[in-house]
Amino acid sequence: MKTLILDGKNEKDMARAALIVMGGGLCAMPTETVYGLAADALDKEAVKSIFDAKGRPQDNPLIVHICSVRQLSLLWESVPEKALRLSKAFWPGPLTMVYKKSAAVPDEVTAGLDTVAVRMPSHKVALELIRLSGTPLAAPSANLSGKPSPTRVSHVKEDMDGRIDCILDGGESSVGVESTVVDMTGETPRILRPGAISEEMIAEVLGAAETDPAVTRGVKDDETPRSPGMKYRHYAPSCPVTLFCGAPDDTVKALLKADENASALVFEEYLKEAKAHFKKAVSFGESWDHAEHTKRVFAALRELDGKGDIFIQAPRELGCEAAVTNRLKRAAGFSEVRCTEHTVIGVTGRSGSGKGYVSLKLSEELSLAYFDADAVYKKLLTENGDMKKAVLDAFPDCESEGEIDRKALGAVVYNDLEKKRLLESLTHPYVKREAEKFIKENNGAVIDAPLLFESTIDRLCTLTVGVYCEDGTSLSRILARDGITGELASLRLSAQPPVSFYRERCDIMIKNEKEPELSALIKKLI
Ligand code: TXA
Ligand code: MG
């Protein structure tokens, strides 16, 4: 069979792809998560040929893709209210919901289960193909069974050339890992496969959500998983994969002692060292850059394959990295090296967000020592001779009787971003060294640091938590605490990064209005 490559931006090509699907053929289509291998979901024979093309086990059911919420009533026995609410919040997008199937859905799609998984993708080309075909489309990821999922046309070609009718080109997948699969048949929605829509995001809409235990620990030998896909070795290159888990500064140390005859996937900030050590090293993006990890993970697994052992600097497990970690664990068959012994939680956020309160609460509940980065910085300014000298050399006008005049220094750097950066580049290494010492002496810590990422102290952490609240709340907190004018407090707030800065980088975000909701997090950490 010759596999046509069609252009998702070209109307004629789109019509051609739709005709192929309507005739019972197979078309790889782009979605925002990964490329899918689509066929008419209501055509048994077409669905069977998906399993053949992928070499997929017959007992692993498919996801059905729709372009309008109305199609749900065709596929499900009924449409529960909770599912409707999730669809309003996250569709079109990377969320798949499992619910009792209607008689219209062939058993071939569900592998004999009485439920069917449905999602509405957000990629324009996918939505348009479903619409033009006039039928819901069953589509697993468009890779050979067991291989990493495809996020580019070249990946699909690698696995599927000659096995399917056509591939629709829609560029690189923007999310990069498959959708979150959530079982809606029980009282509480239960995540069977983590994806870009996190447990926290679902809980925010419905009040509660849980993750199936098999997601993090794998399926036991005598267990029937809630989702058949859980039991297969997945996303796996042909070479053995090992994960190095823990704080990034620790995992890189362990990696650089490992066998250099391997290839490695490491965070951008360590790429140079890794390249000097290993036969081949590829960047995973900066260690804090969750979106980049998600986007790169499958392409990297493909790129590193075939060159011996693959060592991976694993992102942290909790919060928004759950999806990436889950794919990596399965690619590695749960083979892991633990590189950090203790728990180190970095807490950060804007002024007045209440991060101090959250830090102290976490330190108390988890019996971890409390490190106040701001207080340590101020102490070092008066007590550490080397740091003092470095600062005074750079800011000679801020000296008063041999000491640093903190007010004068503040006046200089608060109005000049470049000078602020210079001061931080001089002082951050000292504060970071103190944090490192403190963590060692206390076997872990909660680190309260307004500049957690800027100081790179986040790289010592096994979890990063961002605290936020409404702007009005932070303003009144600053006013009550620091006794400054409203104008000055607003000025201070406007000089800080927006909440989105922390949302992008932190593993977990906690809203701290009246009383922060910490019990779910604490339960996970104990
Ligand atoms: O992002 C995605 O979901 C991609 C794109 C193409 O939409 N699709 C995808 O499909 O990842 P696939 O077949 O590779 O993964 C489907 C997963 C499997 O783990 C399967 O076991 C689970 O969904 N699944 C499907 N139907 C189910 C059902 N009725 N109950 C429980 N799990 C189900
Ligand atoms: Mg798949």
Side-chain angles (χ1 to χ4, degrees):
M1 180 190 299
K2 178 159 170 49
T3 301
L4 287 172
I5 307 285
L6 301 172
D7 180 1
K9 287 204 246 9
N10 180 306
E11 239 174 80
K12 275 198 190 132
D13 279 11
M14 286 299 293
R16 199 156 171 196
L19 277 174
I20 287 173
V21 169
M22 285 189 274
L26 294 184
C27 170
M29 67 172 175
T31 86
E32 73 282 16
T33 56
V34 301
Y35 274 75
L37 183 52
D40 181 351
L42 306 179
D43 177 342
K44 286 182 199 181
E45 293 308 317
V47 170
K48 274 194 206 155
S49 62
I50 293 180
F51 286 85
D52 293 341
K54 271 185 66 98
R56 184 179 179 100
Q58 295 293 337
D59 65 347
N60 196 3
L62 307 177
I63 294 173
V64 178
H65 295 67
I66 57 176
C67 63
S68 138
V69 178
R70 264 175 301 154
Q71 288 172 301
L72 272 181
S73 48
L74 169 71
L75 302 167
W76 283 350
E77 182 183 80
S78 60
V79 181
E81 200 259 337
K82 280 184 183 168
L84 265 188
R85 275 163 60 199
L86 285 188
S87 77
K88 284 211 179 87
F90 301 118
W91 278 359
L95 178 75
T96 295
M97 290 190 271
V98 172
Y99 196 66
K100 286 181 216 134
K101 82 177 195 75
S102 73
V105 179
D107 288 337
E108 283 74 8
V109 171
T110 64
L113 295 177
D114 57 3
T115 55
V116 64
V118 183
R119 104 171 174 99
M120 190 195 294
S122 67
H123 198 297
K124 283 205 184 76
V125 173
L127 285 172
E128 182 64 1
L129 181 67
I130 304 165
R131 199 184 63 78
L132 288 174
S133 310
T135 176
L137 301 182
S141 48
N143 50 285
L144 283 174
S145 194
K147 290 280 162 214
S149 297
T151 55
R152 299 175 190 161
V153 166
S154 62
H155 301 159
V156 181
K157 261 178 93 174
E158 225 169 81
D159 283 13
M160 291 297 161
D161 201 19
R163 304 174 74 94
I164 61 177
D165 297 289
C166 67
I167 304 173
L168 257 178
D169 189 344
E172 194 176 342
S173 297
S174 58
V175 176
V177 299
E178 306 89 336
S179 60
T180 306
V181 178
V182 57
D183 181 354
M184 300 300 289
T185 59
E187 187 54 37
T188 308
R190 173 176 274 228
I191 292 178
L192 305 178
R193 180 177 72 184
I197 308 295
S198 67
E199 186 186 305
E200 289 79 16
M201 288 159 83
I202 294 173
E204 219 172 292
V205 177
L206 295 183
E210 59 193 19
T211 296
D212 197 283
V215 165
T216 38
R217 61 149 164 77
V219 179
K220 294 180 182 154
D221 283 344
D222 57 351
E223 193 177 20
T224 308
R226 291 275 280 267
S227 176
M230 286 174 159
K231 66 175 184 261
Y232 297 107
R233 181 160 186 246
H234 247 149
Y235 319 115
S238 52
C239 294
V241 177
T242 306
L243 303 185
F244 287 68
C245 303
D249 272 356
D250 293 335
T251 48
V252 76
K253 278 184 210 142
L255 263 173
L256 293 176
K257 283 185 206 136
D259 181 5
E260 67 260 27
N261 254 324
S263 54
L265 177 59
V266 299
F267 300 128
E268 178 69 31
E269 53 267 44
Y270 311 109
L271 186 63
K272 228 172 116 191
E273 291 154 276
K275 276 194 162 157
H277 181 83
F278 290 108
K279 223 167 50 183
K280 183 177 171 87
V282 166
S283 169
F284 213 160
E286 299 280 343
S287 62
W288 52 264
D289 197 345
H290 308 307
E292 210 51 40
H293 304 160
T294 312
K295 209 167 160 172
R296 291 187 192 201
V297 63
F298 284 135
L301 286 174
R302 280 178 185 264
E303 188 180 344
L304 294 177
D305 200 12
K307 301 168 189 81
D309 274 310
I310 300 174
F311 295 150
I312 296 180
Q313 199 173 17
R316 304 180 189 95
E317 270 181 56
L318 282 180
C320 49
E321 296 274 17
V324 174
T325 318
N326 167 266
R327 305 313 189 269
L328 286 175
K329 282 185 179 222
R330 297 163 131 262
F334 293 85
S335 152
E336 300 171 16
V337 181
R338 291 250 142 232
C339 309
T340 308
E341 298 299 332
H342 29 250
T343 303
V344 182
I345 305 178
V347 182
T348 188
R350 285 158 61 82
S351 267
S353 61
K355 58 185 174 306
Y357 179 84
V358 169
S359 307
L360 284 168
K361 192 93 188 155
L362 285 175
S363 116
E364 193 181 304
E365 297 277 342
L366 300 166
S367 308
L368 286 168
Y370 173 71
F371 181 89
D372 182 342
D374 232 5
V376 168
Y377 165 72
K378 285 176 188 151
K379 196 162 167 250
L380 289 174
L381 272 187
T382 56
E383 292 178 8
N384 185 302
D386 291 342
M387 180 164 121
K388 224 156 86 177
K389 182 169 180 312
V391 171
L392 286 178
D393 284 350
F395 300 91
D397 296 343
C398 299
E399 186 192 318
S400 145
E401 293 168 21
E403 293 298 317
I404 294 170
D405 178 347
R406 254 183 43 216
K407 272 222 173 90
L409 190 60
V412 173
V413 300
Y414 277 118
N415 293 313
D416 187 332
L417 195 62
E418 226 163 87
K419 294 218 165 105
K420 184 164 179 276
R421 294 235 168 90
L422 171 65
L423 176 66
E424 286 175 2
S425 72
L426 294 172
T427 57
H428 281 161
Y430 289 92
V431 182
K432 185 171 179 182
R433 229 166 288 144
E434 290 298 310
E436 260 181 297
K437 240 182 359 196
F438 186 89
I439 292 165
K440 236 185 231 145
E441 282 164 13
N442 294 282
N443 297 318
V446 173
I447 296 183
D448 174 356
L451 302 176
L452 185 73
F453 294 98
E454 297 86 337
S455 63
T456 72
I457 291 179
D458 62 302
R459 297 176 197 169
L460 303 173
C461 296
T462 55
L463 181 74
T464 57
V465 176
V467 184
Y468 71 105
C469 61
E470 308 293 343
D471 279 351
T473 312
S474 23
L475 198 62
S476 46
R477 278 185 189 144
I478 297 175
L479 289 178
R481 184 186 62 194
D482 299 350
I484 53 177
T485 64
E487 204 181 341
L488 208 64
S490 298
L491 203 68
R492 192 195 288 177
L493 275 174
S494 65
Q496 293 181 0
V499 174
S500 58
F501 171 92
Y502 303 98
R503 202 177 279 288
E504 212 173 69
R505 289 165 175 75
C506 292
D507 302 324
I508 287 178
M509 290 298 285
I510 287 181
K511 185 162 185 174
N512 182 5
E513 275 302 324
K514 290 191 189 80
E515 183 67 20
E517 192 28 80
L518 291 174
S519 52
L521 173 61
I522 288 164
K523 225 170 80 197
K524 274 188 197 156
L525 289 169
I526 286 176

